[in-house]
mmCIF file of all heavy atoms in Angstrom:
data_model
loop_
_atom_site.group_PDB
_atom_site.id
_atom_site.type_symbol
_atom_site.label_atom_id
_atom_site.label_comp_id
_atom_site.label_asym_id
_atom_site.label_seq_id
_atom_site.Cartn_x
_atom_site.Cartn_y
_atom_site.Cartn_z
ATOM 1 N N VAL C 216 -54.116 52.699 -106.628
ATOM 2 C CA VAL C 216 -53.111 53.270 -107.521
ATOM 3 C C VAL C 216 -53.338 52.808 -108.956
ATOM 4 O O VAL C 216 -53.215 53.597 -109.907
ATOM 5 C CB VAL C 216 -51.690 52.904 -107.033
ATOM 6 C CG1 VAL C 216 -50.643 53.426 -108.021
ATOM 7 C CG2 VAL C 216 -51.438 53.489 -105.640
ATOM 8 N N GLN C 217 -53.695 51.540 -109.122
ATOM 9 C CA GLN C 217 -53.988 51.040 -110.468
ATOM 10 C C GLN C 217 -55.179 51.790 -111.072
ATOM 11 O O GLN C 217 -55.189 52.106 -112.272
ATOM 12 C CB GLN C 217 -54.291 49.539 -110.423
ATOM 13 C CG GLN C 217 -53.089 48.657 -110.090
ATOM 14 C CD GLN C 217 -52.148 48.474 -111.277
ATOM 15 O OE1 GLN C 217 -51.985 49.353 -112.120
ATOM 16 N NE2 GLN C 217 -51.499 47.313 -111.329
ATOM 17 N N GLN C 218 -56.161 52.099 -110.264
ATOM 18 C CA GLN C 218 -57.311 52.867 -110.744
ATOM 19 C C GLN C 218 -56.865 54.273 -111.169
ATOM 20 O O GLN C 218 -57.318 54.790 -112.195
ATOM 21 C CB GLN C 218 -58.374 52.953 -109.649
ATOM 22 C CG GLN C 218 -59.665 53.633 -110.107
ATOM 23 C CD GLN C 218 -60.696 53.712 -108.996
ATOM 24 O OE1 GLN C 218 -60.388 53.505 -107.826
ATOM 25 N NE2 GLN C 218 -61.935 53.997 -109.356
ATOM 26 N N THR C 219 -55.995 54.895 -110.375
ATOM 27 C CA THR C 219 -55.489 56.222 -110.723
ATOM 28 C C THR C 219 -54.691 56.185 -112.023
ATOM 29 O O THR C 219 -54.733 57.127 -112.818
ATOM 30 C CB THR C 219 -54.596 56.769 -109.585
ATOM 31 O OG1 THR C 219 -55.342 56.790 -108.362
ATOM 32 C CG2 THR C 219 -54.103 58.175 -109.894
ATOM 33 N N LEU C 220 -53.982 55.083 -112.233
ATOM 34 C CA LEU C 220 -53.195 54.918 -113.461
ATOM 35 C C LEU C 220 -54.078 54.586 -114.666
ATOM 36 O O LEU C 220 -53.579 54.476 -115.790
ATOM 37 C CB LEU C 220 -52.142 53.823 -113.275
ATOM 38 C CG LEU C 220 -50.960 54.187 -112.353
ATOM 39 C CD1 LEU C 220 -50.144 52.938 -112.039
ATOM 40 C CD2 LEU C 220 -50.076 55.256 -112.992
ATOM 41 N N GLY C 221 -55.372 54.395 -114.428
ATOM 42 C CA GLY C 221 -56.283 54.095 -115.523
ATOM 43 C C GLY C 221 -56.381 52.637 -115.872
ATOM 44 O O GLY C 221 -56.995 52.261 -116.879
ATOM 45 N N LYS C 222 -55.822 51.773 -115.046
ATOM 46 C CA LYS C 222 -55.854 50.335 -115.294
ATOM 47 C C LYS C 222 -57.033 49.734 -114.516
ATOM 48 O O LYS C 222 -56.867 49.136 -113.451
ATOM 49 C CB LYS C 222 -54.536 49.694 -114.892
ATOM 50 C CG LYS C 222 -53.346 50.256 -115.686
ATOM 51 C CD LYS C 222 -52.045 49.616 -115.252
ATOM 52 C CE LYS C 222 -50.860 50.169 -116.044
ATOM 53 N NZ LYS C 222 -49.579 49.564 -115.650
ATOM 54 N N THR C 223 -58.212 49.885 -115.061
ATOM 55 C CA THR C 223 -59.444 49.515 -114.364
ATOM 56 C C THR C 223 -59.546 48.021 -114.081
ATOM 57 O O THR C 223 -59.943 47.612 -112.974
ATOM 58 C CB THR C 223 -60.663 49.969 -115.181
ATOM 59 O OG1 THR C 223 -60.551 51.368 -115.463
ATOM 60 C CG2 THR C 223 -61.943 49.723 -114.407
ATOM 61 N N ALA C 224 -59.200 47.205 -115.058
ATOM 62 C CA ALA C 224 -59.323 45.750 -114.863
ATOM 63 C C ALA C 224 -58.411 45.276 -113.738
ATOM 64 O O ALA C 224 -58.829 44.496 -112.863
ATOM 65 C CB ALA C 224 -58.981 45.026 -116.167
ATOM 66 N N GLU C 225 -57.162 45.747 -113.746
ATOM 67 C CA GLU C 225 -56.213 45.363 -112.689
ATOM 68 C C GLU C 225 -56.687 45.876 -111.332
ATOM 69 O O GLU C 225 -56.598 45.179 -110.306
ATOM 70 C CB GLU C 225 -54.820 45.900 -112.995
ATOM 71 C CG GLU C 225 -54.126 45.268 -114.184
ATOM 72 C CD GLU C 225 -54.501 45.943 -115.505
ATOM 73 O OE1 GLU C 225 -55.547 46.643 -115.541
ATOM 74 O OE2 GLU C 225 -53.757 45.764 -116.471
ATOM 75 N N ALA C 226 -57.201 47.108 -111.339
ATOM 76 C CA ALA C 226 -57.680 47.698 -110.089
ATOM 77 C C ALA C 226 -58.834 46.904 -109.510
ATOM 78 O O ALA C 226 -58.876 46.613 -108.302
ATOM 79 C CB ALA C 226 -58.099 49.145 -110.337
ATOM 80 N N LYS C 227 -59.791 46.517 -110.349
ATOM 81 C CA LYS C 227 -60.955 45.778 -109.879
ATOM 82 C C LYS C 227 -60.563 44.416 -109.318
ATOM 83 O O LYS C 227 -61.079 43.988 -108.271
ATOM 84 C CB LYS C 227 -61.956 45.604 -111.021
ATOM 85 C CG LYS C 227 -63.275 44.990 -110.587
ATOM 86 C CD LYS C 227 -64.288 44.983 -111.722
ATOM 87 C CE LYS C 227 -65.616 44.398 -111.260
ATOM 88 N NZ LYS C 227 -66.630 44.385 -112.343
ATOM 89 N N ALA C 228 -59.631 43.748 -109.999
ATOM 90 C CA ALA C 228 -59.193 42.431 -109.529
ATOM 91 C C ALA C 228 -58.532 42.542 -108.151
ATOM 92 O O ALA C 228 -58.776 41.713 -107.253
ATOM 93 C CB ALA C 228 -58.226 41.825 -110.541
ATOM 94 N N LEU C 229 -57.717 43.572 -107.968
ATOM 95 C CA LEU C 229 -57.042 43.773 -106.684
ATOM 96 C C LEU C 229 -58.039 44.143 -105.587
ATOM 97 O O LEU C 229 -57.925 43.669 -104.441
ATOM 98 C CB LEU C 229 -55.974 44.865 -106.812
ATOM 99 C CG LEU C 229 -54.694 44.452 -107.545
ATOM 100 C CD1 LEU C 229 -53.909 45.680 -107.987
ATOM 101 C CD2 LEU C 229 -53.832 43.567 -106.636
ATOM 102 N N LEU C 230 -59.020 44.962 -105.909
ATOM 103 C CA LEU C 230 -60.013 45.358 -104.911
ATOM 104 C C LEU C 230 -60.904 44.189 -104.512
ATOM 105 O O LEU C 230 -61.282 44.057 -103.336
ATOM 106 C CB LEU C 230 -60.851 46.513 -105.451
ATOM 107 C CG LEU C 230 -60.113 47.857 -105.580
ATOM 108 C CD1 LEU C 230 -60.971 48.877 -106.316
ATOM 109 C CD2 LEU C 230 -59.708 48.390 -104.204
#
Side-chain angles (χ1 to χ4, degrees):
V216 176
Q217 291 283 32
Q218 185 180 14
T219 303
L220 288 169
K222 299 179 180 180
T223 306
E225 292 86 341
K227 187 174 182 180
L229 285 163
L230 290 172

